Amino acid sequence: RVHGEMELDKDTIDKLIDESFIAKTFAYKPYSNFGVGAALLTADGTIVRCCNVESVVFAPSSCAERTAVCVAVSQGHRRIRAVAVCGDSKPGVLTPPCGICRQVLFEFADTTPSGQRDMLVIMSRSDRSYVIEKLSTLLPYAFDSSYVERFTNDEK
């Protein structure tokens, strides 16, 4: 059991980490030389893995986590239970999702038994050791649909 009501067994954690490392080998990183791999675990148990894809103009580049979310959504998945992320970091250094990826991940976070939207984020080091945090810890003030609803209702 990990992080209270959110749980993953060790085999699933190891599988997600392995899949993220496999995905990283496909990273298109000619400009930064920093590959990132991500593996998502959807609510139905499907694993979706992707890598980062760079562009010479950095703005249209796509992080591994956002790429994986897009692939998962295009396959019909709308809820994600966990994500494992690894990168070409220096030894001993974790690779966490960037701020934009955290927000995109939150959009598709699964609903916990207590009714909160959240997921587990497994951040790996190059030696495959890892730290697990809840997304809500990494993104404590997530922007959700309630902000848009309030704005839309205020306009009426």
Side-chain angles (χ1 to χ4, degrees):
R1 205 166 165 93
V2 177
H3 292 285
E5 66 183 356
M6 302 175 70
E7 61 180 71
L8 287 178
D9 59 61
K10 178 83 168 104
D11 289 342
T12 303
I13 292 168
D14 290 343
K15 176 71 172 165
L16 287 169
I17 290 170
D18 289 345
E19 293 293 323
S20 72
F21 273 86
I22 291 168
K24 184 173 65 113
T25 66
F26 297 104
Y28 179 72
K29 53 180 181 157
Y31 309 105
S32 72
N33 201 33
F34 189 82
V36 178
L40 304 178
L41 177 65
T42 66
D44 71 0
T46 301
I47 294 176
V48 177
R49 69 175 189 219
C50 286
C51 60
N52 59 317
V53 179
E54 294 181 350
S55 170
V56 70
V57 181
F58 283 111
S61 295
S62 184
C63 296
E65 302 92 327
R66 283 184 283 145
T67 303
V69 167
C70 290
V71 169
V73 169
S74 73
Q75 294 174 351
H77 303 287
R78 295 293 186 269
R79 291 289 166 237
I80 300 167
R81 291 184 51 212
V83 60
V85 183
C86 69
D88 288 332
S89 300
K90 295 176 184 174
V93 178
L94 296 169
T95 302
C98 74
I100 294 170
C101 287
R102 293 174 196 196
Q103 183 64 49
V104 171
L105 288 166
F106 177 78
E107 182 75 22
F108 297 96
D110 201 10
T111 304
T112 65
S114 65
Q116 302 299 310
R117 284 180 41 203
D118 213 342
M119 74 174 67
L120 295 177
V121 180
I122 306 160
M123 298 166 285
S124 302
R125 297 178 186 92
S126 58
D127 66 358
R128 295 181 187 246
S129 62
Y130 59 88
V131 170
I132 300 177
E133 290 289 349
K134 293 192 305 185
L135 181 60
S136 59
T137 300
L138 299 176
L139 187 67
Y141 297 101
F143 190 87
D144 65 20
S145 62
S146 68
Y147 293 100
V148 177
E149 290 166 5
R150 276 188 238 140
F151 175 76
T152 314
N153 291 335
D154 288 347
E155 291 284 316
K156 292 180 181 178

